[in-house]
Amino acid sequence: GINAEYMGLYKRNKKWKQSVELSKKDKMYKDCMETVAESEDRDLAEELLRFFVDNGHHECFAACLFTCYDLMRPDVALELAWRHKIFDFVMPYMIQQFKEYTEKVDSVIEKLEKREEAAQPGIAPVPVDMGMGIGQLVPVQTYGMGGMGGMGMVPPMQVPSSMGMGMGMGGYPTHSGW
């Protein structure tokens, strides 16, 4: 019909919102989702999700999460599902999100560990006075001195600013009158 022609015209001219509104009027929800995905507009995607839950179209809500996957924020999807008591419709999406986040975190950790290993010529335990004569071995990065066969220098210890005013040796507060 005529609305389909207008929807196509709006899409071609990147009038995403108008195209989605016409598709919603004609209950062409698949077209709505595809248009939103093509638009790459996160706000429009979240608006469409809200439309689906507000109108009881739970299957469309679930389909939209995957059709517009890259535009969706998990916190928004989960909150909508919670507020509308439709956890079964959001769980496949959330499981996929958790899987991807776990893989990303694992990958970052692996890269950081490799980078640390490559950047560390050696770590040597150094005794550090923890106050009141209590010593503890703490691994400290050593910086090699060319040709010294593994000998290194320990960088100077920095005292955090939170250990400044009102703190005595060993990190204990000072008390006047003792």
Side-chain angles (χ1 to χ4, degrees):
I2 193 133
N3 278 351
E5 290 176 33
Y6 282 122
M7 285 182 290
L9 184 61
Y10 285 138
K11 259 176 102 167
R12 282 190 297 280
N13 291 311
K14 301 186 187 294
K15 303 283 188 188
W16 309 115
K17 190 170 181 67
Q18 293 90 331
S19 179
V20 169
E21 290 304 317
L22 279 177
S23 295
K24 285 194 294 193
K25 278 183 186 175
D26 289 346
K27 299 183 181 181
M28 298 176 66
Y29 301 133
K30 182 180 178 189
D31 287 344
C32 288
M33 291 179 248
E34 290 171 353
T35 300
V36 169
E38 189 178 333
S39 78
E40 299 179 358
D41 182 337
R42 174 174 278 162
D43 292 334
L44 191 57
E46 291 174 1
E47 187 180 309
L48 185 59
L49 268 188
R50 285 182 179 86
F51 169 82
F52 288 143
V53 295
D54 289 345
N55 290 285
H57 302 301
H58 302 149
E59 292 84 4
C60 292
F61 168 81
C64 188
L65 289 171
F66 285 98
T67 303
C68 303
Y69 190 84
D70 293 334
L71 301 174
M72 296 301 169
R73 292 183 297 178
D75 60 316
V76 172
L78 190 58
E79 182 179 351
L80 286 170
W82 171 63
R83 289 184 182 277
H84 293 270
K85 297 177 179 34
I86 55 171
F87 285 112
D88 288 348
F89 293 94
V90 78
M91 285 314 290
Y93 169 80
M94 293 306 298
I95 290 167
Q96 183 65 31
Q97 284 288 333
F98 278 117
K99 179 182 182 290
E100 287 182 13
Y101 283 143
T102 301
E103 289 171 354
K104 286 178 184 176
V105 169
D106 289 348
S107 173
V108 168
I109 289 171
E110 184 179 323
K111 287 176 184 173
L112 286 174
E113 286 172 348
K114 285 179 182 177
R115 188 175 297 160
E116 285 175 5
E117 288 171 9
Q120 293 179 351
I123 293 184
V126 175
V128 176
D129 185 6
M130 300 300 281
M132 300 190 329
I134 302 171
Q136 179 178 353
L137 289 179
V138 177
V140 176
Q141 173 70 44
T142 59
Y143 299 92
M145 309 239 328
M148 303 274 302
M151 291 179 60
M153 295 175 51
V154 177
M157 298 295 282
Q158 298 286 328
V159 177
S161 60
S162 63
M163 302 275 299
M165 304 301 262
M167 300 301 277
M169 292 302 293
Y172 295 100
T174 55
H175 297 283
S176 57
W178 278 3

